[in-house]
Amino acid sequence: MTLSAREISWSAGGTDILKEVSLTLETGEFLGIIGPNGSGKTSLMSLIAGIRKPRKGEVFLDGSPIAALGRRAVAQRLALVEQQAETGERITARQAVELGRTPYLGPLSPWSPQDDAIVDAALRNVDMGHLADRLWHTLSGGERQRLHIARALAQESKILLLDEPTNHLDIGHQISLLDLVRRQDRTVVAALHDLNHAAMFCDRIAVMQGGRLVALGRPQEVLTVERIRAVFGIEVEVEQEFDGSCFIRYRARRRQPRPFSAIAAVGA
């Protein structure tokens, strides 16, 4: 299963949001997309998912233009978990995950025991089986996010796109969810905010800045002091581990001491 973008650009309200981005996924890899807010991460995810059409360039899924494929055909090959996906319907947690089976259902393919088994497994994978009967609106933001992941797993597509999947999750569930995703037999693309998550779980990292792809490579190649300073405007130390991975240690800006006269004035 292949997915590639060729010089895609996209704009909104006369403003260029994405500029000539080319990217090809390697089968089975975990690709992280990082960059500051407004760099184009979410726009890139929606374009390669086929939700938006590029102003220029084209996205290909298994060698075919994704725009030429039907939504059912795309959904059977590719699943997207968006940042904010809510519903006003009174559905249970299990029913939310069952939506992942929709691309496979039809007049000649009714719901089956196999669909039940797939949904059960997806709920167990995200540790939500015990809340399967709870109504959606009674769940916390983190619980809903885990159900979005379960729905994508139930979809059984070979490509999984995750737009900031760890939002609303505590640190324990952040790590366990990314580890779960990495262990799936799927090609994964995830837009991530935490650079150490990207370093820990990703095979390759794509760096976005100002709507452009400015770097692409293995974590230890991409996450350098100089590049992090240039893209994010922060100072860090990058520790190289013995296994080739890396760890980013953030350095806080030193506070400038107030002049003595100002201190005296405050205490007066």
Side-chain angles (χ1 to χ4, degrees), residues 41-151:
K41 300 188 300 295
T42 294
S43 297
L44 177 59
M45 295 290 283
S46 63
L47 287 168
I48 63 178
I51 294 176
R52 291 172 174 163
K53 185 176 180 180
R55 178 174 57 83
K56 292 181 181 178
E58 203 154 22
V59 177
F60 294 86
L61 181 58
D62 270 352
S64 300
I66 197 169
L69 299 173
R71 292 309 308 166
R72 179 183 291 264
V74 173
Q76 289 177 350
R77 308 177 197 182
L78 181 154
L80 171 66
V81 175
E82 300 178 83
Q83 285 187 48
Q84 301 291 336
E86 295 297 336
T87 178
E89 301 294 328
R90 288 182 62 84
I91 61 174
T92 65
R94 182 183 181 84
Q95 288 170 332
V97 179
E98 288 175 350
L99 293 173
R101 302 304 300 158
T102 302
Y104 304 97
L105 303 178
L108 301 179
S109 303
W111 191 270
S112 70
Q114 181 182 7
D115 295 305
D116 278 323
I118 291 170
V119 170
D120 287 339
L123 283 165
R124 287 195 303 270
N125 273 335
V126 298
D127 193 26
M128 287 291 290
H130 62 295
L131 297 178
D133 296 327
R134 282 271 300 272
L135 289 174
W136 177 267
H137 71 274
T138 68
L139 299 169
S140 70
E143 289 165 343
R144 294 179 187 183
Q145 188 71 351
R146 286 152 63 191
L147 288 174
H148 286 313
I149 300 294
R151 186 264 306 160

Side-chain angles (χ1 to χ4, degrees), residues 155-170:
Q155 200 167 321
E156 288 198 313
S157 56
K158 287 297 183 182
I159 299 175
L160 188 57
L161 307 180
L162 309 173
D163 191 5
E164 298 183 18
T166 56
N167 274 1
H168 310 297
L169 299 181
D170 59 59

